[in-house]
């Protein structure tokens, strides 16, 4: 893939022009939003409001409690929206327009307002009228921080906290290899803006219910290995979720717990959901870009963290597909 060199100054002035030409902006992100998705729309909400632009962060479904603690009161969950109240939509942290969480079951192409697309996924499809994609950033909130810095946009303590939420969750608390010197400089800048780093860490990492920890113990009990233990994977059935009283949202980050195992290079969670079989993939070895496995399975994401959804297959078949594609992806010693 040919890489374009980003002309940041040009894009910053385009974004400034796009924003300041609007009276009211709707803030959207991807379905089943994570900390970066929500941190992005929450932070942008705080910022736009301060410069006098009317704005609304929107998500369709209830969000996990640990993220809800950072949600502005004005955020809308699941209600119908009158698009005529807005003259633009910002899509934040969403690589594919089909994955955008849009009100009223509207398709992206039927949105009556122009879109500004800001994201850090390498496979973003540039579906906006204006697109700023920077896959060198650990999180979309890292990009937003850089935009706020360069355009001298306001960053209140609440805004800085929301930006930290995205960076901390997308870097796994600064442990994943997407953490760069720039990431840490931005985190430092956000703490100087009185972002509540300690609260984000406490909510994300010291806040697990005992039934969730017991569920994780069960997953480790039943974990599968392949390719000389270089691949570790969990199979999560509906029955298992019910037995432990765990919801599908609770399992979003569960794939990351296997990172702790010595010698494991790639991890997968295969899970039965209402929509089909969901794969969540992680790599700890840059020589094994698991996004290739995700693409084979019809999904996408980042080189080192990706996912896919397949309808109408069994969990057993999903396991077979994983082993086939992972086998093609893992270099032989
Ligand atoms: Mn992200």
């Amino acid at each position: 893939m040919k890489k374009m060199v980003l002309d940041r100054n040009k894009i910053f002035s385009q974004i400034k022009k796009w924003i300041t030409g609007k009276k009211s902006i709707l803030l959207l992100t991807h379905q089943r939003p994570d900390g970066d998705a929500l941190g992005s729309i929450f932070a942008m909400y705080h910022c736009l409001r301060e410069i006098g632009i009317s704005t609304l962060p929107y998500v369709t479904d209830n969000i996990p409690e640990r993220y809800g603690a950072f949600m502005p009161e004005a955020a809308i969950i699941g209600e119908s929206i009158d698009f005529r109240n807005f003259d633009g939509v910002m899509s934040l942290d969403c690589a594919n327009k089909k994955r955008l969480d849009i009100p009223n079951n509207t398709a992206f192409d039927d949105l009556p307002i122009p879109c500004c697309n800001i994201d850090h996924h390498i496979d973003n499809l540039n579906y906006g009228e204006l697109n700023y994609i920077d896959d060198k950033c650990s999180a979309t909130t890292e990009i937003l921080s850089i935009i706020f810095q360069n355009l001298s946009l306001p960053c209140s303590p609440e805004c800085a906290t929301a930006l930290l939420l995205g960076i901390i969750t997308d870097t796994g608390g600064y442990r994943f290899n997407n953490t760069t010197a720039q990431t840490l400089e931005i985190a430092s800048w956000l703490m100087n803006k009185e972002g509540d780093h300690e609260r984000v860490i406490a909510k994300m990492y010291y806040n697990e219910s005992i039934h969730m920890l017991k569920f994780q113990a069960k997953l480790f009990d039943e974990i599968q290995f392949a390719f000389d233990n270089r691949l570790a994977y969990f199979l999560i059935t509906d029955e298992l979720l019910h037995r432990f009283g765990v919801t599908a949202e609770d399992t979003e980050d569960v794939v990351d717990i296997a990172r702790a195992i010595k010698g494991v290079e790639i991890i997968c969670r295969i899970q039965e959901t209402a929509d089909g079989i969901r794969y969540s993939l992680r790599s700890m070895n840059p020589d094994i870009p698991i996004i290739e496995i995700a693409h084979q399975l019809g999904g996408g994401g980042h080189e080192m963290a990706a996912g896919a959804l397949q309808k109408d297959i069994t969990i057993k078949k999903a396991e077979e597909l994983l082993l086939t594609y992972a086998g093609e992806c893992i270099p032989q010693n």
Side-chain angles (χ1 to χ4, degrees), residues 94-99 117 119 121-128 131 133 295:
C94 181
N96 186 328
K97 62 185 181 182
K98 287 188 187 146
R99 277 201 72 207
N117 166 21
D119 185 26
H121 291 89
I122 193 168
D123 54 1
N124 189 292
L125 295 170
N126 289 284
Y127 51 83
N131 303 283
I133 314 305
H295 285 156

Side-chain angles (χ1 to χ4, degrees), residues 26 83 86-89 110-115:
L26 179 62
F83 293 114
F86 302 91
D87 43 17
V89 54
D110 295 330
L111 272 180
I113 41 180
C115 174

Side-chain angles (χ1 to χ4, degrees), residues 279-312:
Y279 302 80
S280 188
L281 290 146
R282 299 288 183 269
S283 171
M284 273 96 79
N285 178 352
D287 292 334
I288 312 178
I290 44 74
I291 193 170
E292 289 173 15
I293 303 175
H295 285 156
Q296 298 249 42
L297 294 164
H302 305 282
E303 285 192 355
M304 310 289 279
L309 174 70
Q310 289 201 323
K311 296 182 197 300
D312 304 321

Side-chain angles (χ1 to χ4, degrees), residues 51-64:
I51 58 170
I53 294 172
S54 149
T55 179
L56 197 66
Y58 173 90
V59 287
T60 301
D61 293 319
N62 282 325
I63 57 177

Side-chain angles (χ1 to χ4, degrees), residues 222-242:
E222 295 184 354
I223 193 169
Q224 304 285 318
F225 293 96
F227 309 110
D228 297 327
N229 297 345
R230 295 169 79 188
L231 166 67
Y233 61 98
F234 302 119
L235 299 173
I236 305 180
T237 59
D238 264 342
E239 188 275 323
L240 192 65
L241 291 184
H242 279 124

Side-chain angles (χ1 to χ4, degrees), residues 152-172:
S152 300
L153 287 167
C155 185
S156 65
E158 297 73 32
C159 179
T161 302
L163 292 167
L164 282 169
L165 173 66
I167 290 174
I168 289 170
T169 52
D170 263 16
T171 61

